[in-house]
């Protein structure tokens, strides 16, 4: 259908023909299936909708169709439910009529459709906001067949729908059931492993909601999801700071101020093996970013520091209000953010000095731990050196005996010089045993930041090597390789000092 518009340019009138320019529905949805959602992200978006619907309990069920062997995933909540208009908008891509308040976890109107089609081809919604139960469905096979933006319903549900809702929400109470069928893009076929991944995700992303005074209850296949202790507060971590900071935002009307809460913590330092068991890893260091108490992403540096061994035990939480949405760069999938430079600069001003102080404190903890244990791990380096010391032992050289009067140690026979031949002496087992006695001992000592890297003192068969624990070399190469899994680099560092 074409429409003719008339616009004036000066004294002249210009006519333009405006036509509808509908995209190919099939290609649009095929493209949207590859926006990067994983099954846990999809379920997260559905849980967001349930929370926005004022649900107090949410049930997530993951099962397989006995015939097709494809997953069937359901998310049920006891929230407000939807009337016909709300259900119609919920299954519309990019709804314009849905209103989001400041506490809402949703924002873009893309969540239900975009999240669902990322893992499945058919989405069904059953909802009750009063005595009436409504049904609607979105099926990619039908859309591909018609190449049009179509859906089933909303319409009155079958008579047995009330019983299904009563099972979870109570008789005649409001609630919603979202079912994902034909889950062709869920790759992990191990149900136990998949549910483990989903449980870990839900416990981490919604940990604030799960431990509120009136907590949200999320059940996965009938088992309550527990909040993840990301800061290891129950394991003895130190809460370094917990404060609120003013952030000035530029708006069309000038400036406004919002409050951002930040929590910084130092994880317990118990050495490499214990850290691994507690999930204290190199990639996890940094900040978790929240929007309305829902985690968006974790392990962020915010351009505030470079990942380093000395910050592996650092964690932080930054709570952004929805008023910062235009400055946070959070996309509709709620998996990443891109903060404005103005916001980053202010966060740097408030937090960067604290991160530096935390790094120094972790360094001291590592040094104290090393001193208490006398860095017994150096024994591996010492053993490494003992085992390879044989290659440094050379056989005693034979001294050529010369006759008197023959300064060159040679005599002529038949006018030719005769050179004395020497037999090459091979290392014996006795030589190897002696080589193992050539041992050394490493010891960290404070010699000042500007002092020598090390001092070596030979005492009998021992070589005592005192390493300056104040020197940057100690932090970078000794502690750094000590905390890493690169045993070859650690041995090479010790051997370098020995050599």
């Amino acid at each position: 259908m074409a429409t003719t518009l008339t616009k004036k340019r000066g004294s002249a009138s210009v006519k333009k023909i405006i036509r509808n320019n509908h995209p190919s529905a099939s290609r649009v949805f095929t493209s949207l299936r590859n926006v990067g959602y994983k099954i846990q992200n999809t379920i997260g978006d559905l849980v967001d909708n349930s929370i926005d619907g004022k649900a107090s309990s949410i049930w997530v069920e993951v099962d397989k169709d006995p015939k097709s062997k494809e997953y069937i995933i359901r998310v049920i909540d006891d929230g407000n439910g939807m009337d016909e208009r709300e259900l119609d908008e919920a299954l519309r891509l990019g709804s314009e009529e849905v209103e989001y308040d400041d506490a809402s976890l949703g924002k873009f109107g893309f969540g239900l459709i975009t999240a669902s089609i990322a893992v499945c081809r058919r989405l069904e919604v059953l909802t009750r906001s009063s005595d009436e139960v409504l049904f609607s469905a979105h099926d990619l096979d039908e859309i591909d067949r018609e190449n049009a933006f179509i859906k089933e319903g909303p319409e009155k549900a079958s008579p047995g729908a009330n019983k299904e809702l009563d099972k979870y929400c109570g008789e005649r109470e409001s609630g919603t059931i979202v079912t994902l069928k034909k889950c062709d893009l869920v790759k992990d076929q191990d149900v136990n492993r998949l549910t483990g991944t989903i449980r870990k995700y839900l416990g981490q992303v919604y940990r604030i909601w799960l431990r509120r005074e009136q907590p949200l209850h999320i059940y996965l296949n009938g088992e309550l999801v527990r909040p993840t202790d990301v800061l290891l507060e129950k394991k003895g971590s130190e809460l370094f700071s917990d404060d609120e900071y003013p952030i000035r935002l530029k708006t069309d009307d000038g400036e406004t101020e919002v409050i951002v809460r930040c929590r910084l913590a130092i994880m317990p330092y118990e050495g490499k093996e214990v850290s691994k068991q507690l999930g204290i890893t190199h990639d996890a260091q940094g900040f978790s970013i929240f929007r309305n108490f829902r985690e968006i992403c974790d392990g962020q540096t915010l351009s505030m520091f470079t990942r380093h061994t000395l910050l592996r035990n650092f964690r932080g939480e930054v709570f952004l209000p929805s008023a910062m949405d235009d400055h946070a760069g959070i996309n509709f999938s709620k998996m990443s953010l891109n903060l404005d430079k103005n916001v980053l600069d202010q966060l740097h001003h408030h937090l960067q000095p604290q991160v530096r102080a935390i790094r120094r404190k972790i360094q001291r903890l590592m040094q104290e731990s090393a001193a208490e244990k006398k860095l017994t791990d150096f024994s591996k380096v010492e053993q490494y050196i003992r085992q390879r010391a044989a290659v440094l032992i050379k056989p005693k050289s034979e001294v050529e005996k010369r006759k008197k009067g023959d300064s060159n140690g040679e005599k002529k026979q038949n006018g030719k010089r005769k050179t004395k031949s020497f037999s090459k002496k091979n290392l014996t087992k006795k030589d190897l045993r002696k080589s193992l006695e050539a041992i050394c001992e490493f010891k960290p000592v404070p010699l000042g930041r500007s002092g020598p890297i090390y001092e070596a003192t030979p005492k009998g068969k021992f070589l005592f090597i005192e390493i300056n624990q104040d020197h940057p070399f100690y932090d970078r190469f000794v502690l750094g390789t000590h905390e890493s899994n690169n045993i070859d680099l650690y041995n090479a560092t010790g051997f370098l000092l020995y050599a």
Side-chain angles (χ1 to χ4, degrees):
M1 180 178 177
T3 303
T4 303
L5 298 179
T6 302
K7 290 188 177 182
K8 287 188 176 182
R9 290 183 181 176
S11 58
S13 296
V14 179
K15 291 184 178 181
K16 287 188 175 181
I17 297 177
I18 306 298
R19 299 180 184 275
N20 286 327
N21 190 26
H22 297 302
S24 166
S26 178
R27 290 193 176 186
V28 166
F29 285 115
T30 298
S31 299
L32 286 175
R33 300 198 81 194
N34 298 290
V35 296
Y37 275 92
K38 296 179 180 179
I39 180 61
Q40 59 266 33
N41 305 122
T42 291
I43 291 175
D45 263 22
L46 302 182
V47 169
D48 288 348
N49 293 340
S50 297
I51 294 174
D52 287 344
K54 311 304 180 187
S56 60
S57 295
I58 302 170
W59 295 265
V60 179
E61 295 182 351
V62 179
D63 202 355
K64 278 191 175 184
D65 187 307
K67 293 183 179 180
S68 67
K69 302 300 181 182
E70 290 182 331
Y71 283 102
I72 297 178
I73 298 169
R74 302 205 305 169
V75 177
I76 307 112
D77 69 66
D78 61 357
N80 294 334
M82 292 176 277
D83 59 26
E84 185 173 347
R85 183 191 68 83
E86 291 170 330
L87 180 57
D88 185 48
E89 288 299 320
L91 269 72
R92 185 190 305 276
L93 184 65
S95 172
E96 295 181 356
E97 296 187 18
V98 179
E99 296 181 0
Y100 297 102
D101 57 36
D102 290 341
S104 173
L105 299 185
K107 175 188 175 185
F108 299 97
F110 280 80
L112 181 57
I113 294 296
T114 310
S116 301
I117 65 174
V119 298
C120 76
R121 297 193 64 81
R122 181 171 175 84
L123 162 69
E124 297 179 354
V125 180
L126 193 68
T127 185
R128 181 173 66 195
S129 60
S130 59
D131 288 340
E132 187 176 51
V133 183
L134 298 174
F135 171 84
S136 189
H138 182 277
D139 196 307
L140 289 181
D141 292 333
E142 293 180 7
I143 290 172
D144 287 346
R145 193 160 42 245
E146 301 294 331
N147 195 20
F149 293 93
I150 57 176
K151 64 188 174 191
E152 301 174 30
E155 58 190 10
K156 289 185 179 180
S158 60
N162 267 316
K163 292 183 179 180
E164 188 69 14
L165 284 162
D166 290 346
K167 177 181 175 183
Y168 295 93
C169 308
E171 188 173 352
R172 300 297 175 184
E173 295 294 330
S174 61
T176 301
I177 300 176
V178 176
T179 305
L180 308 182
K181 295 183 176 180
K182 303 178 186 176
C183 296
D184 57 329
L185 295 186
V186 180
K187 302 303 180 184
D188 193 342
Q189 295 303 309
D190 187 318
V191 177
N192 292 330
R193 186 170 56 210
L194 183 64
T195 53
T197 299
I198 296 170
R199 183 178 301 279
K200 181 180 178 181
Y201 175 85
L202 294 173
Q204 177 172 329
V205 170
Y206 299 98
R207 60 185 181 269
I208 306 299
W209 289 87
L210 295 175
R211 62 185 183 215
R212 300 173 79 175
E213 187 174 347
Q214 294 183 335
L216 172 72
H217 296 98
I218 301 178
Y219 300 89
L220 177 57
N221 285 356
E223 185 179 346
L224 184 66
V225 174
R226 304 289 181 183
T228 304
D229 185 14
V230 173
L231 297 187
L232 299 181
E233 296 176 79
K234 296 180 180 179
K235 298 290 185 178
S237 65
E238 175 191 345
L239 188 60
F240 189 82
S241 67
D242 184 351
D243 289 294
E244 295 180 340
Y245 304 96
I247 301 294
R248 304 291 298 176
L249 303 176
K250 294 180 181 179
T251 65
D252 295 337
D253 301 325
E255 280 192 353
T256 187
E257 183 177 283
V258 297
I259 300 299
V260 173
R261 181 188 177 194
C262 301
R263 305 175 75 222
L264 308 185
I266 301 175
M267 304 292 98
Y269 180 77
E270 299 291 344
K272 182 175 61 178
E273 294 302 323
V274 176
S275 294
K276 186 177 180 180
Q277 294 173 8
L278 295 176
I280 302 174
T281 63
H282 186 78
D283 292 335
Q285 64 182 265
F287 297 96
S288 294
I289 311 299
F290 291 78
R291 176 189 178 271
N292 284 350
F293 304 105
R294 189 253 203 220
E295 186 184 78
I296 300 299
C297 49
D298 65 344
Q300 301 296 302
T301 66
L302 299 181
S303 303
M304 204 174 296
F305 62 89
T306 302
R307 296 187 188 280
H308 192 275
T309 302
L310 293 177
L311 286 172
R312 190 170 64 183
N313 289 63
F314 161 65
R315 299 288 183 278
E317 293 179 335
V318 178
F319 297 89
L320 305 179
S322 58
M324 290 184 65
D325 282 350
D326 293 337
H327 305 269
I330 299 173
N331 63 7
F332 67 84
S333 64
K334 288 172 277 189
M335 292 186 288
S336 63
L337 80 162
N338 184 21
L339 292 171
D340 288 353
K341 187 178 184 304
N342 174 51
V343 174
L344 273 178
D345 289 343
Q346 294 180 72
L347 288 175
H348 285 194
H349 172 74
H350 294 304
L351 302 179
Q352 198 167 44
Q354 298 184 62
V355 173
R356 289 171 181 163
I358 287 172
R359 174 172 169 151
R360 292 193 296 268
K361 185 159 189 175
I362 293 175
Q363 179 181 350
R364 289 196 298 270
L365 289 173
M366 294 172 72
Q367 291 174 346
E368 289 170 3
S369 175
E372 289 175 4
K373 297 177 182 179
K374 296 182 180 179
L375 273 182
T376 53
D377 279 309
F378 266 125
S379 63
K380 296 180 180 179
V381 177
E382 293 161 3
Q383 181 183 8
Y384 175 84
I385 291 171
R386 288 198 300 270
Q387 291 173 344
R388 287 155 181 79
V391 300
L392 301 178
I393 303 297
K394 301 293 188 295
K396 294 182 179 180
S397 59
E398 292 189 26
V399 180
E400 180 184 356
K401 296 181 179 180
R402 299 177 179 176
K403 293 184 178 182
K404 293 182 179 180
D406 187 357
S407 59
N408 294 324
E410 300 170 341
K411 60 181 179 179
K412 294 181 180 180
Q413 290 184 356
N414 301 325
K416 295 182 179 180
R417 282 186 178 178
K418 184 178 180 181
T419 305
K420 183 178 177 69
S421 60
F422 299 93
S423 62
K424 184 177 180 181
K425 182 179 179 181
N426 294 321
L427 287 173
T428 64
K429 290 183 179 180
K430 184 177 181 181
D431 294 321
L432 292 175
R433 283 196 298 271
K434 287 183 177 180
S435 71
L436 293 177
E437 297 174 0
I439 58 177
C440 62
E441 182 178 327
F442 291 86
K443 181 180 180 181
V445 295
L447 299 175
R449 186 173 180 81
S450 59
I453 295 177
Y454 71 93
E455 287 185 349
T457 305
K459 295 183 179 179
K461 295 180 180 180
F462 282 76
L463 180 63
F464 289 88
I465 302 175
E466 296 178 326
I467 308 175
N468 185 0
Q469 64 187 28
D470 299 326
H471 198 282
F473 178 89
Y474 184 81
D475 297 331
R476 185 77 177 271
F477 292 98
V478 179
L479 281 181
T481 55
H482 174 249
E483 291 299 315
S484 71
N485 290 321
N486 194 338
I487 188 63
D488 291 334
L489 182 58
Y490 183 54
N491 287 337
T493 302
F495 199 81
L496 174 65
L497 293 171
Y498 175 78

